[in-house]
Amino acid sequence: MKFGIGQPMRRHEDLRLITGRGCYTDDMILPRMTHAFVLRSPVAHAHIKRIDAAAARRMPGVLFVATGEDVRADGLGDVPCTVPLVNRDGTSRHDTPRPVLALGKVRHVGQPVALVVAETLTAARDAAEAAMPLKRSMSSTTRCRQ
């Protein structure tokens, strides 16, 4: 059977990848290349008290720092849901806002909180660490009542 489910496929790229001869995007170096680092929340549920973006902007090699407030002030909007979903009764579903960067509070581990662009990845990471938000953790729901 040609192209059947579960049929083994001959792969040609594996040998170079597992022998260290692969080329990944992280291996590329271009003139005047910059690096971006997304600061993500380490906690599942917390209010963001303050993000020290000014400290990050002052660090050497840093070109750009954005927080959720910056994104909102620039009018960039939320991440859209591109799948048109409807409720069981045929009405349009409520579109939950999905900010590009967290606004006011984080709602899950790994939620993007800030974006730093710098001349090197190390500089971007260091600046993101300097901008680490002050948070007040909130309890998460662990059980529901019937």
Side-chain angles (χ1 to χ4, degrees):
M1 174 190 305
K2 189 173 183 179
F3 305 116
I5 295 174
Q7 177 184 5
M9 292 177 46
R10 179 163 301 279
R11 293 173 46 129
H12 302 282
E13 69 274 9
D14 289 352
L15 184 61
R16 70 182 159 85
L17 297 176
I18 64 174
T19 56
R21 295 189 317 257
C23 183
Y24 300 91
T25 55
D26 199 40
D27 299 328
M28 295 179 187
I29 299 172
L30 302 171
R32 298 179 44 172
M33 185 166 84
T34 59
H35 298 266
F37 184 82
V38 177
L39 178 63
R40 296 180 178 275
S41 174
V43 296
H45 197 208
H47 282 290
I48 299 171
K49 290 183 177 179
R50 182 175 58 88
I51 298 175
D52 196 359
R57 289 183 181 108
R58 287 190 302 268
M59 296 187 72
V62 173
L63 305 171
F64 177 75
V65 178
T67 65
E69 295 299 328
D70 298 327
V71 170
R72 183 177 10 178
D74 288 344
L76 297 177
D78 294 338
V79 177
C81 179
T82 58
V83 179
L85 300 173
V86 294
N87 296 319
R88 288 183 184 180
D89 63 0
T91 60
S92 295
R93 68 167 178 81
H94 171 70
D95 193 17
T96 306
R98 293 171 191 82
V100 175
L101 298 172
L103 280 166
K105 68 178 176 178
V106 292
R107 291 171 173 82
H108 59 86
V109 172
Q111 183 174 3
V113 176
L115 172 74
V116 180
V117 178
E119 293 170 353
T120 66
L121 183 57
T122 303
R125 281 187 181 140
D126 289 346
E129 192 173 292
M132 184 61 81
L134 295 173
K135 299 180 201 139
R136 182 174 51 94
S137 291
M138 299 164 54
S139 60
S140 57
T141 302
T142 56
R143 61 193 144 129
C144 298
R145 285 186 256 176
Q146 293 283 340

